[in-house]
């Protein structure tokens, strides 16, 4: 029936998490808000100039040799990107109508894309400085589960809501990295744009075709006794995630009566910790190392639990702080 049996759940047991996963979920609550707050506090002036397209202030920044050489090539028009965005948005919003059996509300797709747009710039700043990306998995699972409870198909891991949110952010960052690489290699921007467009179409069509061919020509795919061991363990993990977040839901785990209700307050901590450091650096000039504190990076480092353990972090912190 794809509906939650509350009586059977109460008769069995609440869902308990290992301490490592509980810690990871707590960090998952704090990290996204810390990332957004850190970006707004330290990089909002630069973002605001770009939004306003204040060419006078932007042009006052001294160009390096790469920028001077690349000015000889015409830039890709903004309309190209806007037209491509409209086409992709139309294809994405068509999913609920093409596959109504998935029971995916259109609002879920639109919300996931909007959240992806919110996190692209903060993620870009974080990756440019550290090479890391903040873990958004928990946000991608919590939000649809809370808004559309007891509907596992609406938040089935990377297949739907999580797929749109994370893939949109990752694809945008990968595109920026590729364009930046082309910038340093002196590839004309329009050639880089065409190459990226061809790569996106190719890497979308070919995997889908390969999967269809495998399911059409290979027996017992995704079964436990499959001869070639095409067992689809990742799909089983997605199914488990859809049960935990879609059927059981976050309210029974992180609600007021939930076992892990205290983890919700990590949202407030993640939003306030960068503000505290920012205010301290404005009020006093010492210690100077306080200016280098970045809670978005610190919290993101804890996302490696598991498989990392306590000794991994204590030794890393000690060596890193001293040297």
């Amino acid at each position: 029936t794809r509906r939650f049996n509350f009586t059977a759940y109460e008769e069995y047991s609440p869902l308990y998490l290992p301490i490592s996963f509980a810690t990871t979920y707590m960090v998952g609550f704090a990290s996204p808000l810390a990332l957004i707050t850190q970006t707004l506090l330290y990089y909002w002036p630069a973002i605001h100039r770009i939004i306003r397209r204040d060419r006078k202030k932007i042009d006052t920044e001294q160009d390096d040799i790469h920028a001077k050489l690349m000015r000889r090539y015409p830039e890709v028009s903004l309309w190209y990107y806007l037209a491509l965005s409209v086409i992709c948005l139309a294809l994405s919003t068509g999913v609920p109508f093409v596959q109504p059996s998935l029971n995916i509300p259109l609002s879920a797709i639109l919300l996931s894309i909007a959240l992806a747009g919110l996190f692209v710039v903060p993620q870009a700043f974080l990756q440019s400085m550290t090479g890391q990306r903040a873990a958004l998995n928990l946000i991608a699972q919590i939000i649809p589960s809370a808004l559309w409870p007891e509907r596992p198909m609406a938040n089935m891991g990377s297949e739907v809501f999580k797929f749109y949110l994370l893939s949109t952010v990752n694809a945008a960052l990968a595109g920026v990295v590729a364009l930046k690489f082309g910038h340093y290699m002196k590839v004309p921007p329009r050639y880089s744009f065409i190459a990226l467009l061809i790569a996106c179409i190719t890497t979308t069509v070919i995997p889908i075709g390969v999967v269809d061919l495998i399911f059409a020509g290979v027996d017992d795919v995704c079964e436990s006794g499959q001869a070639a061991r095409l067992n689809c363990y990742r799909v089983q993990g997605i199914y488990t995630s859809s049960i935990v977040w879609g059927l059981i839901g976050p309210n029974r785990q992180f609600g007021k009566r939930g076992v892990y209700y205290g983890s919700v307050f990590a949202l407030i901590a993640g939003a306030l910790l960068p503000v505290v450091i920012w205010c301290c650096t404005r009020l006093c000039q010492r210690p100077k190392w306080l200016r280098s504190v970045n809670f978005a990076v610190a919290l993101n480092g804890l996302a490696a639990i598991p498989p990392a353990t306590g000794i991994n972090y204590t030794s890393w912190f000690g060596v890193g702080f001293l040297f």
Side-chain angles (χ1 to χ4, degrees):
T1 61
R2 294 183 181 179
R3 292 295 178 180
F4 183 73
N5 190 334
F6 182 76
T7 303
Y9 177 79
E10 289 292 323
E11 291 177 352
Y12 184 72
S13 171
L15 179 64
Y16 291 100
L17 300 173
I19 184 62
S20 57
F21 277 104
T23 304
T24 302
Y25 284 152
M26 184 178 295
V27 173
F29 278 116
S31 180
L33 287 183
L35 176 63
I36 293 177
T37 305
Q38 189 88 19
T39 303
L40 292 176
L41 290 175
Y42 290 91
Y43 306 109
W44 173 248
I47 297 173
H48 187 250
R49 287 199 302 268
I50 296 174
I51 293 175
R52 292 182 56 189
R53 299 183 66 84
D54 193 343
R55 296 301 308 176
K56 292 182 179 179
K57 292 184 178 180
I58 295 176
D59 290 339
T60 56
E61 298 180 2
Q62 186 176 2
D63 288 340
D64 58 11
I65 184 59
H66 303 284
K68 292 179 180 179
L69 293 173
M70 289 300 291
R71 288 189 182 278
R72 297 175 61 89
Y73 299 116
E75 292 287 343
V76 179
S77 175
L78 182 61
W79 290 105
Y80 289 6
Y81 289 101
L82 292 177
L84 188 60
S85 300
V86 171
I87 294 173
C88 294
L89 182 62
L91 293 174
S92 300
T93 53
V95 171
F97 305 100
V98 177
Q99 293 289 342
S101 60
L102 291 179
N103 196 25
I104 307 168
L106 177 61
S107 54
I109 296 178
L110 295 176
L111 178 60
S112 64
I113 296 175
L115 288 174
L118 175 65
F119 281 103
V120 163
V121 174
Q123 286 277 54
F125 275 107
L126 180 63
Q127 182 172 344
S128 65
M129 293 184 299
T130 66
Q132 303 178 17
R133 296 182 186 179
L136 304 178
N137 302 54
L138 184 63
I139 295 297
Q141 293 169 327
I142 287 285
I143 293 177
S145 302
L147 296 179
W148 299 281
E150 301 182 7
R151 297 175 67 177
M153 297 302 292
N155 48 76
M156 199 171 174
S158 61
E159 291 294 323
V160 188
F161 191 95
K162 183 179 176 181
F163 170 82
Y164 277 105
L165 198 162
L166 299 183
S167 295
T168 302
V169 174
N170 293 336
L173 295 180
V176 172
V177 171
L179 292 175
K180 193 67 174 178
F181 182 74
H183 175 83
Y184 286 121
M185 296 301 295
K186 310 302 178 294
V187 179
R190 293 185 178 182
Y191 290 176
S192 298
F193 177 81
I194 294 173
L196 283 175
L197 184 59
I198 295 175
C200 289
I201 296 175
T202 303
T203 55
T204 300
V205 174
I206 291 181
I208 294 176
V210 171
V211 170
D212 287 340
L213 289 175
I214 291 175
F215 274 93
V218 181
D219 296 330
D220 301 327
V221 177
C222 295
E223 299 293 337
S224 58
Q226 211 280 328
R229 297 185 180 180
L230 298 176
N231 305 117
C232 307
Y233 289 116
R234 177 174 173 81
V235 176
Q236 295 176 13
I238 294 172
Y239 171 77
T240 303
S241 176
S242 69
I243 296 300
V244 172
W245 297 106
L247 281 180
I248 298 176
N251 291 331
R252 295 184 176 90
Q253 292 182 268
F254 303 102
K256 288 186 177 181
R257 298 182 179 180
V259 181
Y260 305 101
Y261 175 61
S263 300
V264 178
F265 293 97
L267 289 167
I268 302 175
L272 293 182
L273 286 175
V275 178
V276 173
I277 298 298
W278 184 80
C279 292
C280 291
T281 56
R282 288 295 185 275
L283 295 176
C284 56
Q285 300 297 325
R286 296 178 181 276
K288 292 184 178 181
W289 59 265
L290 196 62
R291 298 176 179 271
S292 301
V293 174
N294 189 321
F295 276 104
V297 177
L299 292 172
N300 191 52
L302 296 176
I305 302 176
T309 59
I311 188 62
N312 297 116
Y313 282 95
T314 54
S315 58
W316 157 75
F317 181 81
V319 174
F321 186 79
L322 292 176
F323 299 99

